[in-house]
Structures are given as C-alpha cells and as structure tokens.
Amino acid sequence: MTESSKPGLSTRTIHGHSFKDAHGSPHLPVYDTTTFAFKSTADLLDVVDGRKPGSLYTRYGLNPSIFAIEETLASLEGAEMAWSFCSGMAAETALFLTHGREGIVCIGDAYGGTLELLASQLPLLGIKTDLILGRELDQLDALLAAGAKLVFFETPTNPTLELLDIRAIAAKAHAYGARVAVDNTFASPVNQRPLELGADFVVHSATKYLGGHSDLTAGVLMGSKELLMPVWNWRKNLGSMIAPGTASLLARSLRTLVVRVRQQNESAQRIAEAMNRHPKVSRVYFPGLPEFPGHALAKDQMYGFGGMLTIEVAGDGEDATRVADRLKLFALAPSLGGAESLVTQPCTTTHHGLTTEERARRGISDAMLRLSVGLEDAEDLIADLEQALG
C-alpha cells in the first residue's frame, strides 16, 4: 500500500486536534478537574442538550483534555470520531454491548481477556457469540445468515501473527448487513488502517503502541459518528472513561508514535531474519519473512510488518521457559509496544486461561515465545537471544 492522506501521519500525531491553549502552550494543558462551571443555566443547558459543544463533566468525556486526544486519535485512523476509554478491554466491552447484541463472530486468535469475555461472560447476558479460527472462514456465511451482526478479529493475531483479509471479510459481512470491527493494536495506525480497507470500527489497547512507554493504561474505539454515538451512553454509565491525566500522557506519546514504530519495524525484521537462521529455533512467526504464510497479504494491506514476532524454540515448553529466564535485555513481562523489549510465553500469560487442548487447536504451543521488540539496538537484542538460546 502507499500513503495517500494529507497532512502526513507524523504531522497528525502532533497537530491532529483543533484545541489551542489561551496562554500559548504548544501542548494542551491537563484539565484535571471533575466538573466545569457555567455563567448561566441557559449556557449549561446549551451543552447538556447538545446545542453547543463544551465541557461539562469528566466522567461523561466532556473535558478538553479528552476532546483533544479523541480528535487526534480519530485523525490517525482516518475516522470520523473516536471515543477514549480507561482500557482496551473497556473499549471492546462497550462495542460488544452496543453493536453485538444480535450476535458476534470472532475470527482467529485474540487476546485471552477478549476470548474470555466473548466465550464466558457475554453469553451470560444472552449475547450469542461464535469463535471460529482463521482456517474456518467457510463457516462465516452460515453464522451471518443466522443473524450475527458484528464480526470481530485481530490482524495480525496474538500470538501467531496470522493475517486476516480485512477487505474480503468486510465485503462478506456487509453483504449480510453486519458490521466489522478490527483490533489494530498489534499493527498500530502506522502499519495498518482498517477503515481504509472497509472495516466499520477500529479498536486499540492504547496501553501498547499508542502509549509506547509502559506508563499508561487506555483504550480507544474509532469509526463513524453514526455508529459511535450509541456507544456513548454505555461508556458513560459503565464508568469506563479515560482520566484527563492519562489522556495528556497519551497525547505526549503519540507525538513520537511514527518514529518509534518505524524503528521497531526495522529491528523486528532483523531479529526475525536472525532467528530464522538459528538452529535452536524451529519456527519464526513474522509477516515480514517471505516464507511466512501471510506475507503477500501483509504487503497488500499493511504499510509495515510490525514490531511483534513469535519464535518457537526447538524443544518443549520447559526449553522455552529456560530461554525466557536467561534473557537479560528482554524483560519477562506481559504487554507489548513499549520502548523496552519484552518476552512472554503465551501458555503462561496471555493464553494461560485456555485449556491445553484449546491452545493446541489454535496452534499455540508451549514452546512459543512472543517478543515485543523495543527501541534498543537490534544487534544487542539479537545477541541477547543468541546467548539465551545457547
């Protein structure tokens, strides 16, 4: 794909909102206040009734710090509107409760918390959910014909980096009157913008690449105004609003998003190639490798291959654990997308809640190690992996 938006993505990360500080600060100050006063009841009612934009109450999202980050986030994905949340899971929950009540189909691997929400908790509320694998797409027509109105998936997926064709899935779903939501956390807007490919919603755990420093927890849902307005009351009444201080931290992080992700892309490519040659690594999962099954699709629908890769250690789960425990630069920790490199063994963290049989069905072996490549020198990260494997 080629870039076509103007102004450019880097420019939008810095100048993506219209709010200006009265005192000339280049960055909007934190409005760390719960409520806002009005000169008159008439002025208050203009905001309450929606006749005029304005700040009112932070839990509602009516706060300048929140307005600014949402305008910027929307611009990065080419969305008409964005709602920010206290976490990625909060964003997904509001999406599912608003647009998934007639049935949800989840395709492929996903974050363990998402799978638990879909498989175990939403059915308690009477919401029908179906989980199919990427190789089971032949089942999608029947599920859509049966009435499912929301199709949800990650691409690349966690942790196998499987690629799903956003254009094709969106076209099929729309033919049945269903909507499509894509979790774009792994790719970030730098590497992929699903709305351009036909998706109706984009969701992010902003804790990851958008935050980029492992010091904030947030989420965001983006799409058209028509589809996002019904989400507003769910967010308000579930109390899942982002805090103004967190919104300001996220705005700080977005200013370096493009340079961070592009560096992580480059380093991940070099590490994947090095691990692909290593005798103690049986397989490397990374879209940037020509032999990777989703490589051609990645070249078509992505701008970059990302900073995430998974290696499968030659041996079993205990061998992978020993490698993880010997790493020095890669911190043994869940999460991803930060400046520091992280390693996690999916069977012990992100997918620990799945049964051994379900992990095997999804192709998630105990010998897998998921790597989130940070901003350290690639040569040092490769050396760290080689000493741990040795």
Side-chain angles (χ1 to χ4, degrees):
M1 295 179 67
T2 57
E3 296 275 6
S4 60
S5 302
K6 292 184 180 180
L9 191 64
S10 294
T11 302
R12 298 200 300 274
T13 65
I14 299 167
H15 302 285
H17 67 80
S18 56
F19 293 85
K20 304 297 181 184
D21 175 53
H23 300 284
S25 169
H27 309 304
L28 191 70
V30 183
Y31 284 81
D32 197 8
T33 178
T34 58
T35 192
F36 295 84
F38 293 82
K39 293 181 179 179
S40 69
T41 298
D43 290 338
L44 182 149
L45 287 174
D46 280 340
V47 173
V48 170
D49 294 334
R51 288 185 292 273
K52 292 182 180 178
S55 300
L56 174 67
Y57 194 58
T58 293
R59 182 172 63 79
Y60 292 0
L62 303 180
N63 176 300
S65 299
I66 297 171
F67 292 148
I69 194 61
E70 290 178 339
E71 189 176 345
T72 302
L73 288 165
S75 75
L76 299 185
E77 288 280 9
E80 188 178 5
M81 179 176 280
W83 293 141
S84 54
F85 292 81
C86 59
S87 69
M89 286 302 301
E92 288 184 1
T93 300
L95 167 67
F96 295 153
L97 290 174
T98 307
H99 291 283
R101 295 194 301 275
E102 295 179 76
I104 303 168
V105 180
C106 176
I107 304 173
D109 290 317
Y111 170 60
T114 302
L115 294 177
E116 183 181 10
L117 176 66
L118 288 166
S120 302
Q121 294 171 292
L122 292 180
L124 296 176
L125 303 178
I127 297 175
K128 186 178 186 300
T129 62
D130 290 282
L131 279 62
I132 63 174
L133 300 182
R135 63 176 181 269
E136 298 171 336
L137 278 173
D138 58 335
Q139 300 179 26
L140 184 56
D141 279 287
L143 294 171
L144 292 169
K149 292 301 181 185
L150 182 66
V151 177
F152 173 86
F153 57 94
E154 299 180 3
T155 182
T157 63
N158 179 17
T160 61
L161 285 300
E162 180 183 16
L163 271 289
L164 296 170
D165 190 327
I166 299 171
R167 286 190 189 92
I169 294 172
K172 184 181 290 291
H174 293 161
Y176 287 90
R179 304 295 185 183
V180 172
V182 177
D183 184 334
N184 203 31
T185 299
F186 263 37
S188 87
V190 180
N191 290 327
Q192 182 173 264
R193 293 191 281 282
L195 297 180
E196 296 175 355
L197 301 169
D200 302 287
F201 304 97
V202 177
V203 64
H204 285 266
S205 170
T207 310
K208 313 303 193 297
Y209 284 104
L210 299 182
H213 295 78
S214 303
D215 60 1
L216 65 87
T217 303
V220 59
L221 176 66
M222 309 169 192
S224 69
K225 182 176 181 180
E226 177 187 3
L227 294 176
L228 258 63
M229 283 308 298
V231 180
W232 192 82
N233 275 331
W234 282 105
R235 180 183 66 163
K236 174 173 71 79
N237 293 327
L238 289 172
S240 52
M241 175 55 56
I242 193 173
T246 304
S248 181
L249 272 179
L250 182 54
R252 169 219 61 183
S253 298
L254 291 180
R255 295 172 201 134
T256 62
L257 173 67
V258 175
V259 292
R260 285 189 286 105
V261 170
R262 287 177 179 167
Q263 179 62 50
Q264 288 163 317
N265 288 350
E266 181 181 335
S267 294
Q269 182 75 39
R270 294 176 62 184
I271 292 167
E273 291 170 357
M275 292 298 98
N276 207 32
R277 298 188 296 266
H278 201 286
K280 293 189 177 180
V281 174
S282 60
R283 186 173 178 184
V284 178
Y285 299 77
F286 182 67
L289 294 176
E291 62 269 34
F292 185 73
H295 180 67
L297 179 58
K299 289 172 64 177
D300 178 60
Q301 73 180 19
M302 299 181 75
Y303 297 107
F305 298 124
M308 300 297 300
L309 67 141
T310 294
I311 63 172
E312 195 162 6
V313 175
D316 56 19
E318 292 183 0
D319 294 309
T321 298
R322 282 191 286 271
V323 173
D325 289 347
R326 283 198 292 259
L327 287 165
K328 297 175 181 178
L329 289 180
F330 283 88
L332 181 61
S335 199
L336 58 104
E340 67 290 330
S341 293
L342 302 177
V343 60
T344 185
Q345 195 171 357
C347 69
T348 67
T349 51
T350 58
H351 293 74
H352 184 63
L354 300 181
T355 65
T356 302
E357 294 75 21
E358 181 62 17
R359 287 198 299 270
R361 191 177 80 89
R362 292 177 172 273
I364 302 170
S365 77
D366 291 354
M368 280 182 171
L369 294 176
R370 192 192 74 183
L371 307 177
S372 172
V373 177
L375 297 176
E376 303 93 342
D377 290 307
E379 295 86 350
D380 294 331
L381 295 174
I382 292 169
D384 189 30
L385 286 161
E386 288 176 341
Q387 67 80 22
L389 287 162

